[in-house]
Amino acid sequence: MAHRKIGMGIGSTLKIWAKRVKRDGVTLWFAGKHPKTPWYAKALGLFVVAYALSPIDLIPDFIPVLGYVDDVLLLPGLIWLTLRLLPPDVLADCRGQADAWMQAKGAKPRSMAGAVLVVALWLAAGAACGCGCGRWVEG
């Protein structure tokens, strides 16, 4: 019986954590438009939001273990870092806007720019590998 309560506690904790990550991703979207957001926070936030809203993952989920690293570690870590760069008043204002937006819309938005960014990163990595392998074969 005690195990069942612990399991339920972990499940509800994970749901709360996932909702916060989702809300904070939308918070970064609003922070990118806020006039008091520092340029470096906007730059990092733009990358994080584009990646978070992209329908394509940097590391595809079908790759065992590694496929979920970006969803479980990389993305929340980048969101946390970007939020730390925001002034407290900007963070509070943008979180309020994010909460209101999520109540009205219910789902996270999608970004084609994010998908293009991920595809461009994969193409750049492929080109770099191609150049490196070509030199390795020649030398």
Side-chain angles (χ1 to χ4, degrees):
M1 190 84 143
H3 295 292
R4 189 174 270 174
K5 286 182 181 180
I6 291 171
M8 288 173 51
I10 291 171
S12 62
T13 300
L14 287 175
K15 284 182 183 179
I16 291 169
W17 177 78
K19 283 183 181 183
R20 284 184 185 159
V21 168
K22 184 178 175 181
R23 187 246 352 238
D24 287 342
V26 176
T27 298
L28 292 181
W29 183 54
F30 284 108
K33 299 177 186 181
H34 200 287
K36 291 171 124 184
T37 300
W39 69 268
Y40 49 87
K42 281 186 181 185
L44 183 57
L46 174 67
F47 171 77
V48 172
V49 168
Y51 181 68
L53 300 181
S54 168
I56 302 169
D57 282 344
L58 186 60
I59 305 169
D61 288 343
F62 63 81
I63 297 173
V65 181
L66 290 178
Y68 293 103
V69 167
D70 62 337
D71 297 329
V72 175
L73 297 175
L74 180 64
L75 192 57
L78 287 171
I79 289 172
W80 174 84
L81 176 63
T82 309
L83 291 175
R84 300 279 298 182
L85 295 174
L86 296 175
D89 59 323
V90 172
L91 179 59
D93 185 33
C94 293
R95 273 196 172 146
Q97 289 177 334
D99 285 336
W101 188 89
M102 288 181 67
Q103 283 183 351
K105 304 288 183 183
K108 73 178 184 180
R110 295 272 180 215
S111 170
M112 286 309 294
V116 169
L117 174 68
V118 171
V119 170
L121 286 172
W122 271 108
L123 290 173
C129 269
C131 289
C133 289
R135 289 185 186 144
W136 180 70
V137 170
E138 289 174 1

